[in-house]
Each structure stands twice: as structure tokens, then as C-alpha cells.
Amino acid sequence: MFKSVVLFFAILLFLFGFGKIKESKFQTEDDAAILKKVYEKDFYIGAAINDKIITEKNKKALEVLKREFNTISPENVMKWEALHPSPDTYNFDMADKYVALGKKNNMHVIGHTLLWHSQIGPWMNSVQDSATMANYIKEHITTVTNRYSGKIDGWDVVNEALNEDGSLRESVFFKVMGERYLEFAFKVAEKADPSAELYYNDYNMWKPKKREGAIRLIENLQKSGTKINGVGMQGHWGLTEPSLEDVENSIVAYSKLGLKVAITELDITVLPNPFKLEGAEISQNFENNEKMNPYPDALPDSVEVQLANRYRDIFELFLKHSDKIDRVTFWGVNDQSSWLNNWPIKNRTNYPLLFDRKFEAKKAYHAVTQLKTDSIKQQ
């Protein structure tokens, strides 16, 4: 009798739709909780990886990387200083391992970065002749991009060439070659590997003055016939700044130039920052104290909720403009490996990413994945 009653109510639920199973847009139920699966129709989801992941020594981080992400960027191993430490010396070992890891796991592989004023070959800072500088740049970019031709999907060709007011930074390249170094670098990269996409990458690209400067930079490249496929907006942001409106205005403005937009270095600091801190300029360092390191042991639940809500709002904006955004890359896999533990103040405990120090998903992770699954259910 009991079984008959249960069956009767089960049939009623099915007929009235309460028990109806909607057709899943994921291949399996588990896919609904995996970042790269959740957003596979919207944009790539990536992470910047360090030496321990590249060499596969950090097994847990590698496991999370392979499960959750489908594009990678190198934190340091492809920067000039690491790759090309002296005029006649190249160290390709770690970069080779990085590219091999990405290809083995069918990932979209990004090269970061060909030309940057920081972490450069030290001899470059003493070059004063324009022709010599151009030869060094050409030799470096050509050697590196030729080696990885067909293996690197996209290059950050020039990194952080702008000041906060939108003017060109007086880097060693600018001082010696003037503004033409930008066009020169992009054209050398295109010639060395025509198949790779080429990007300009910078922080604080949401600020109106810096956005105007970036647009001028890009338009000048385009007018000269220089190939540029996209712009990277570094996402080193906070719990309240930048405003979503400023981020949105920038995404739209860069897209109108005919470029792909990438969010290239996403992390959300939950710690107070020193006064006068400017973006992500790594030369800035400040002293530590208890006020600047308020959560040394654990993140309060109220702040973790705030972080989750912030990430949800940001990804809601990204989804709104998914036709313009090509990829979203977090700057690190988990909180432990984040550079924000040591910048702009050393030895702090920060919590800026979606996975905690034990590689467990945080509230922010669930907020980001749930946002997408909720939108799918409503379709």
C-alpha cells in the first residue's frame, strides 16, 4: 500500500512539472561546478602559473589547474630577465616546460611578456644608442617568438607602457627610441610568428585618463598598419574599486577599436593598501604592521562574503560583455601562491583568489559558478 501511495504522488509531481528534470547544458552534473566547463561558451578561464606548477612539483596545484582552467600565463619564466639574462645567453628550459605543459593539456597558451621595462636584461639599461636598442629588441623578440611559433597562441608584446595620466612611460625603450619602439616591437613579433595573436597589456586600464592614453597608443599602431589583436586589462582590483561602471566603459571602448578584450591578471585584494599606491607598479614597497595585515590566520566570514559578492558582480559584468571578452585569467591558482602576499608589503596574508591555501573552493568560487548555472536555468 505504501509503495502505491509513493508512486501515485511521484506521478503527480511529474505531471505538474515539479519533478521535471530540465535538460542539462553540461555533459555531466560534475561539469556544473568546474570553471572552464561553466564558462566554455563565454570565454577562456585561465591562471598564471609559477615554477612549482610548471615543473609539476606542486601536485595539488597542478590537479586544480588541469581541472578548472583552459588557458595559462607564465608568472615569470618568459620575462626577459629570466629567459635572456645576458646578451649571448638564453635559458629556455623553464619556458619550454611551460609551453609543453600547456600543449599536453590542450590549453590556450599565452606568452608573457616580450617587452617590459621591469625584469629586463640588466645590460639593456645602459644602452644609449637607438640603433643598438632596436637590434637588441629585434634579436630578443625574434629568437623567443621563433622558438615557440605555432605553440604560443598569443603574446603580451608590450607590457605597461603608460603612466597613470595616459602619457607614455619614460622607460629605457622610450628614452632611447622614442614612441616608435612600440610599433617596432609589434611588427617584429608579427614577422617572427604571424600566427600568434598580439596584445598590449597594462594595469589600471579602467581609469579614464589611462584609457584615453591606451586608445591613442592602439590607434597609432592601427594607423601605421601594425597588427594588434587585443588589449589586456590587468584585474588587480579591490573590494570596492574600481567601479563596475569604469570597468564596463573600458571594455566597451577597447572593443570599439576592433580588439579582443582580455582580463589578464585578475585578483581581488581584501587587505588595506598604503596611501599613494599606484596600480600594480612592482617597484613600490611599504613596511608591514598589524594594521596592514589584519587577517594573519583566517579571513572573517563577513569579508569572505564580501569577496564572493564582489566576484559575482564582476563576473556578471563579464557575462554581459562576453561577446567582447576573449579570456579571463586569474593571477595565480590559489591564495598561497598569490603575489599579493608579498606586494606591496611583504609577508602579509592575503585571500585574493577563488581557491584557499588548501586548494579548496571558497565562497567566491561558488558565487562565480552559481552565477552561470543560474543564468542557464533561466534560459
Side-chain angles (χ1 to χ4, degrees):
M1 178 67 178
F2 177 78
K3 290 183 179 179
S4 299
V5 172
V6 171
L7 179 61
F8 173 76
F9 278 103
I11 293 171
L12 284 178
L13 285 171
F14 178 79
L15 290 174
F16 284 97
F18 296 107
K20 184 177 180 181
I21 300 174
K22 293 183 179 180
E23 181 183 354
S24 175
K25 298 201 176 184
F26 300 107
Q27 292 180 355
T28 69
E29 290 299 318
D30 290 341
D31 288 348
I34 296 176
L35 279 171
K36 67 181 180 182
K37 291 291 185 179
V38 170
Y39 287 94
E40 65 182 346
K41 293 184 179 179
D42 303 296
F43 33 70
Y44 289 111
I45 295 287
I49 60 177
N50 57 29
D51 292 19
K52 290 183 178 179
I53 300 176
I54 292 169
T55 56
E56 304 189 27
K57 292 180 179 178
N58 190 333
K59 300 296 184 184
K60 189 63 178 177
L62 184 62
E63 176 187 327
V64 173
L65 178 75
K66 291 162 66 174
R67 184 183 70 237
E68 301 286 342
F69 303 100
N70 53 18
T71 181
I72 53 174
S73 297
E75 284 191 1
N76 290 300
V77 301
M78 299 195 91
K79 290 172 181 173
W80 193 317
E81 183 180 59
L83 202 61
H84 188 187
S86 65
D88 300 319
T89 303
Y90 283 88
N91 295 329
F92 285 118
D93 181 59
M94 287 298 294
D96 286 352
K97 286 183 171 65
Y98 162 75
V99 174
L101 176 68
K103 291 306 175 185
K104 182 172 68 174
N105 292 286
N106 298 314
M107 292 177 167
H108 187 77
V109 181
I110 300 300
H112 177 81
T113 171
L114 291 173
L115 209 60
W116 186 31
H117 65 276
S118 186
Q119 291 178 252
I120 193 175
W123 77 93
M124 293 290 289
N125 291 308
S126 62
V127 176
Q128 297 181 354
D129 176 69
S130 179
T132 302
M133 175 69 75
N135 285 336
Y136 277 134
I137 290 174
K138 182 178 180 180
E139 192 269 338
H140 175 80
I141 292 178
T142 301
T143 301
V144 174
T145 52
N146 272 341
R147 185 177 184 87
Y148 300 112
S149 179
K151 298 177 182 178
I152 292 285
D153 297 293
W155 284 101
D156 290 332
V157 179
V158 178
N159 196 51
E160 300 175 4
L162 295 168
N163 294 311
E164 295 304 286
D165 63 359
S167 63
L168 286 172
R169 181 193 296 271
E170 290 196 8
S171 64
V172 62
F173 315 118
F174 181 83
K175 289 177 181 178
V176 177
M177 292 182 65
E179 186 175 352
R180 77 181 186 92
Y181 87 86
L182 292 155
E183 177 186 336
F184 183 75
F186 272 90
K187 287 189 172 179
V188 171
E190 179 186 7
K191 184 176 180 180
D193 186 2
S195 65
E197 293 193 330
L198 307 180
Y199 317 116
Y200 173 72
N201 187 58
D202 211 329
Y203 59 82
N204 285 352
M205 294 284 273
W206 55 270
K207 289 187 174 182
K209 287 186 178 180
K210 197 161 190 177
R211 178 171 66 231
E212 291 171 7
I215 290 172
R216 285 195 301 271
L217 185 159
I218 292 162
E219 286 181 335
N220 287 338
L221 290 174
Q222 291 174 328
K223 288 174 184 176
S224 69
T226 304
K227 174 183 174 181
I228 177 170
N229 300 100
V231 59
M233 293 177 60
Q234 294 182 23
H236 299 301
W237 300 335
L239 290 173
T240 58
E241 191 180 54
S243 71
L244 295 178
E245 181 182 8
D246 281 332
V247 175
E248 181 172 32
N249 288 341
S250 292
I251 291 172
V252 172
Y254 299 135
S255 178
K256 286 182 178 179
L257 297 173
L259 301 180
K260 295 180 179 181
V261 177
I263 309 301
T264 53
E265 303 181 18
L266 183 59
D267 47 30
I268 306 297
T269 183
V270 299
L271 302 183
N273 279 326
F275 184 64
K276 295 183 180 179
L277 177 70
E278 289 286 0
E281 173 55 54
I282 67 168
S283 63
Q284 300 171 103
N285 287 285
F286 301 85
E287 292 185 5
N288 199 355
N289 57 51
E290 290 185 8
K291 182 179 179 181
M292 289 295 175
N293 190 29
Y295 317 121
D297 301 315
L299 190 65
D301 187 68
S302 60
V303 182
E304 187 168 354
V305 170
Q306 192 178 356
L307 178 66
N309 290 337
R310 176 64 162 163
Y311 264 117
R312 183 183 176 90
D313 291 344
I314 287 170
F315 267 78
E316 191 169 30
L317 176 63
F318 293 166
L319 279 176
K320 178 181 177 182
H321 294 287
S322 60
D323 61 322
K324 305 173 185 66
I325 296 173
D326 183 54
R327 58 188 162 93
V328 176
T329 295
F330 294 87
W331 204 244
V333 172
N334 79 326
D335 289 341
Q336 181 66 45
S337 63
S338 173
W339 74 305
L340 291 174
N341 293 305
N342 289 297
W343 184 90
I345 297 173
K346 291 183 177 180
N347 301 317
R348 293 199 297 176
T349 307
N350 212 326
Y351 307 81
L353 299 170
L354 302 188
F355 293 92
D356 66 18
R357 283 165 167 73
K358 296 180 180 179
F359 296 97
E360 294 177 357
K362 294 158 60 177
K363 286 182 173 67
Y365 174 92
H366 296 298
V368 167
T369 54
Q370 190 63 45
L371 170 67
K372 180 62 178 178
T373 54
D374 285 348
S375 68
I376 289 175
K377 290 176 183 177
Q378 294 170 6
Q379 293 175 4

